[in-house]
């Protein structure tokens, strides 16, 4: 999966999980701009875990503040799973 | 400090309609809203009739993101609260919010969310559950969302006493306003019982009727579950009059008792004790009561027991005392029942019309009451009781007065 494909899937998950207007969400969007609070954050993590069949560790939550943070984190998790 | 307590706002959503105007019309027309169930597939159910709030559309009240966080029992409560607060014409952010209490009742809270989570976990083998499951299921969700939406910072909590939940909530709210612990209260109850797991559990109790709800009638076969929410706004009468509020009626007293008898079989002594306690609290002699909105579930056990309790409390006056059970119209809404029936009682006293017991087939000698059946009855009562008796033997009775009654 290319980085662009991954980012698109992340955006789709965000839009669906938070019932966002798709036009508002880009690869550069931050949680702050999208009005996403900490409870929204765990709801998004839940949706991402289902989408990518991964487990996102609790410690990573504070670091996830934007679409690009999420895409990078998921890339890392997928790569470490593939190399395992 | 003791103050008279006025009802200045009403809000309701149930099978009879989406607001007070729609519900009032169906109540007074005696038009039951008991129909084949739609929210759950009937194939796995023994009892398939229900009183669903079919016309309630969450999209009219909440945007899609808000709906993620709200089980249906909370959606119904917030919708009813919104109507009640608008009806009362109150603004809470200018100081009243800190002196306002919110007390809401529910029997099984976010049961549908629990049922969905169980299906995900046990049937679909989901590795994880939706993180909004806990905030959706908690009993205090309605009180919390109403508090946040309107900036109400006074005491708020939820009451859960099965079918008496709403009456226990209303009673606590009434006492808080009467005794000066709050200058306003938002109170009532909500319930959304239509999910497969909960309905199977009710099927197993063998108390749900296969056809319809016929309280106090011969050949009655049981209760019909209903969903909905009712919310009342309470204020000190003097303050309400001073600001020119519309007074729908007054709450005059509240009484509670516990049967200490059986977990599901009711006791006439317990029911009678709660009615007497409400009359004493209201300072009303039995003869002053001109209407009872009965608990009247339509089960073989409740109705004769409640009849004996009414005869015991009211003696010869029971012969002239009109009684009806509006559960025959809006179903048994469990933790919301007392709230729906409180509103039916307030409207009956305000408008001088007693809503009927529908679906009545004829007298049962064990339920020898002055029943209003079939059609509503024009009758200006000065005071009324609304009875709620719960599984577990917990009884709660609210006494109301018509607006302007001494």
């Amino acid at each position: 999966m290319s980085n662009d494909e991954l980012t698109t899937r992340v955006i789709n998950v965000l839009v669906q999980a938070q019932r966002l207007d798709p036009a508002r969400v880009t690869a550069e969007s931050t949680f702050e701009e999208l009005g996403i609070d900490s409870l929204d954050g765990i709801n998004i993590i839940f949706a991402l875990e289902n989408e990518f069949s991964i487990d996102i560790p609790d410690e990573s939550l504070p670091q996830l503040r934007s679409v690009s943070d999420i895409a990078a984190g998921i890339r890392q998790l997928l790569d470490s799973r593939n190399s395992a | 400090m003791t103050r008279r307590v006025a009802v200045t706002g009403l809000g309701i959503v149930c099978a009879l309609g989406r607001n007070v105007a729609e519900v009032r019309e169906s109540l007074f027309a005696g038009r039951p809203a008991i129909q084949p169930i739609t929210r759950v597939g009937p194939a796995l159910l023994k009892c398939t009739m229900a009183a669903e709030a079919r016309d309630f559309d969450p999209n009219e009240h909440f945007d899609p993101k808000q709906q993620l966080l709200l089980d249906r029992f909370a959606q119904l409560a917030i919708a009813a609260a919104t109507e009640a607060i608008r009806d009362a014409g109150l603004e809470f952010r200018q100081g009243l919010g800190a002196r306002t209490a919110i007390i809401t009742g529910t029997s099984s809270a976010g049961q549908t969310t629990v049922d969905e989570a169980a299906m995900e976990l046990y049937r679909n083998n989901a590795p994880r559950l939706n993180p909004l499951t806990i905030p959706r299921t908690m009993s205090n969700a309605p009180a919390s969302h109403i508090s946040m939406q309107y900036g109400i910072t006074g005491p708020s909590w939820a009451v859960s006493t099965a079918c008496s939940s709403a009456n226990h909530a209303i009673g606590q709210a009434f006492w808080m306003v009467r005794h000066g612990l709050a200058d306003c209260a938002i109170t009532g109850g909500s319930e959304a019982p239509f999910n497969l797991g909960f309905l199977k559990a009710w099927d197993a109790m063998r108390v749900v009727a296969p056809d319809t709800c016929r309280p106090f009638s011969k050949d009655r076969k049981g209760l019909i579950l209903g969903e909905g929410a009712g919310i009342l706004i309470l204020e000190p009468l003097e303050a309400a009059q001073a600001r020119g509020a519309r007074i729908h009626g007054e709450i005059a007293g509240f009484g509670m008792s516990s049967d200490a008898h059986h977990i599901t079989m009711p006791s006439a002594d317990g029911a009678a004790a709660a009615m007497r306690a409400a009359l004493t609290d209201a300072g009303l002699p039995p003869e002053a009561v001109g209407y009872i909105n009965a608990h009247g579930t339509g089960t073989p056990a409740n109705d004769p027991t409640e009849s004996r309790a009414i005869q015991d409390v009211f003696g010869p006056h029971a012969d002239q005392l009109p009684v009806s059970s509006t559960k025959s119209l809006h179903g048994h809404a469990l933790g919301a029942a007392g709230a729906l029936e409180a509103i039916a009682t307030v409207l009956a006293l305000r408008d001088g019309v007693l809503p009927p017991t529908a679906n009545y087939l004829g007298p049962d000698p064990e339920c020898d009451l002055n029943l209003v059946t079939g059609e509503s009855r024009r009758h200006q009562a000065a005071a009324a009781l609304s009875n709620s008796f719960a599984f577990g033997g917990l009884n709660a009775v609210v006494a109301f007065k018509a607006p302007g009654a001494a």
Side-chain angles (χ1 to χ4, degrees):
Chain A
M1 180 171 31
S2 75
N3 283 341
D4 281 355
E5 282 168 349
L6 187 129
T7 300
T8 304
R9 278 175 70 183
V10 168
I11 289 173
N12 287 341
V13 168
L14 242 74
V15 164
Q16 179 58 33
Q18 292 300 298
R19 307 291 193 266
L20 294 169
D21 175 2
R24 283 183 60 206
V25 191
T26 69
E28 287 73 43
S29 298
T30 65
F31 280 14
E32 200 181 340
E33 288 162 8
L34 297 173
I36 289 167
D37 66 19
S38 61
L39 181 61
D40 297 330
I42 57 169
N43 195 38
I44 290 165
I45 299 290
F46 162 71
L48 291 166
E49 288 181 325
N50 286 337
E51 171 72 13
F52 293 100
S53 301
I54 51 174
D55 284 315
I56 299 176
D58 291 353
E59 313 82 83
S60 61
L61 294 185
Q63 280 117 56
L64 300 177
R65 297 224 174 84
S66 66
V67 171
S68 57
D69 288 347
I70 293 173
I74 289 174
R75 169 61 67 197
Q76 211 178 355
L77 282 169
L78 293 175
D79 287 351
S80 67
R81 186 172 65 184
N82 292 339
S83 63
Chain B
M1 186 187 336
T2 299
R3 311 186 285 194
R4 287 171 68 175
V5 176
V7 179
T8 57
L10 300 173
I12 193 167
V13 183
C14 69
L16 295 175
R18 294 168 296 182
N19 51 52
V20 172
E22 288 182 5
V23 171
R24 177 182 176 276
E25 194 195 330
S26 300
L27 269 176
F28 289 169
R31 204 161 48 227
I34 294 167
Q35 296 183 67
I37 195 161
T38 62
R39 297 191 65 76
V40 174
L44 293 169
L45 295 174
K46 194 170 60 160
C47 300
T48 57
M49 299 299 282
E52 298 169 299
R54 287 191 180 193
D55 296 335
F56 174 71
D57 178 4
N59 296 312
E60 287 175 11
H61 300 271
F62 310 102
D63 68 36
K65 191 183 162 192
Q66 287 174 308
Q67 290 179 43
L68 293 174
L69 200 50
L70 300 171
D71 184 274
R72 190 170 168 90
F73 95 104
Q75 294 179 5
L76 294 165
I78 297 164
T82 301
E83 184 189 16
I85 289 168
R86 193 173 298 147
D87 181 35
L90 287 172
E91 169 54 52
F92 296 98
R93 293 185 197 272
Q94 314 300 327
L96 180 61
R99 295 284 306 152
T100 296
I102 308 170
I103 310 173
T104 54
T106 184
S107 177
S108 41
Q111 184 70 235
T112 303
T113 296
V114 174
D115 200 56
E116 285 165 359
M119 269 198 282
E120 281 298 302
L121 196 58
Y122 301 121
R123 189 175 74 183
N124 301 339
N125 296 314
R128 57 186 73 84
L129 289 181
N130 189 310
L132 304 181
T133 303
I134 297 295
R136 283 170 64 101
T137 54
M138 58 197 198
S139 301
N140 59 308
S144 296
H145 285 287
I146 295 165
S147 146
M148 290 186 288
Q149 193 164 326
Y150 291 96
I152 292 163
T153 55
S156 298
W157 72 92
V159 176
S160 189
T161 49
C163 310
S164 294
S165 302
N167 264 10
H168 274 121
I170 293 166
Q172 302 301 312
F174 157 65
W175 278 345
M176 287 196 72
V177 173
R178 180 163 77 173
H179 296 292
L181 300 168
D183 291 332
C184 177
I186 299 170
T187 186
S190 69
E191 202 75 59
F194 297 124
N195 60 79
L196 182 61
F198 200 50
L199 293 174
K200 291 296 282 183
W202 277 101
D203 270 357
M205 287 289 297
R206 299 177 186 270
V207 292
V208 180
D211 50 355
T212 192
C213 172
R214 310 181 191 281
F216 303 108
S217 169
K218 70 174 183 183
D219 298 332
R220 66 182 177 281
K221 297 198 168 84
L223 59 86
I224 292 289
L225 291 169
E227 65 176 351
I231 296 286
L232 297 86
I233 309 295
L234 311 183
E235 293 176 69
L237 178 65
E238 275 190 20
Q241 285 168 332
R243 73 180 183 90
R246 180 180 187 186
I247 315 289
H248 294 293
E250 270 183 70
I251 298 187
F254 176 52
M256 300 183 271
S257 72
S258 306
D259 290 348
H261 169 62
H262 188 276
I263 196 66
T264 56
M265 292 301 291
S267 128
D269 290 347
M275 284 189 268
R276 283 200 180 93
L279 292 174
T280 302
D281 191 51
L284 286 170
E287 298 71 33
V289 175
Y291 172 59
I292 296 178
N293 187 302
H295 186 54
T297 55
T299 60
N302 174 81
D303 298 358
T305 308
E306 185 170 9
S307 300
R308 282 201 305 281
I310 290 170
Q311 288 154 356
D312 183 32
V313 172
F314 292 92
H317 178 60
D319 295 339
Q320 293 107 54
L321 171 53
V323 176
S324 69
S325 168
T326 50
K327 286 190 178 75
S328 57
L329 304 167
H330 52 63
H332 189 349
L334 306 175
L340 306 186
E341 291 153 26
I343 290 170
T345 306
V346 168
L347 295 175
L349 290 173
R350 188 192 73 183
D351 298 341
V353 180
L354 307 183
T357 300
N359 313 316
Y360 189 75
L361 296 176
D364 171 352
E366 283 200 276
C367 304
D368 186 16
L369 298 170
N370 184 340
L371 295 167
V372 182
T373 61
E375 291 177 5
S376 54
R377 188 187 295 178
R378 287 220 152 267
H379 175 73
Q380 185 56 64
L385 296 185
S386 173
N387 288 346
S388 286
F389 309 133
F391 273 175
L394 311 186
N395 310 301
V397 176
V398 183
F400 294 88
K401 281 185 185 170

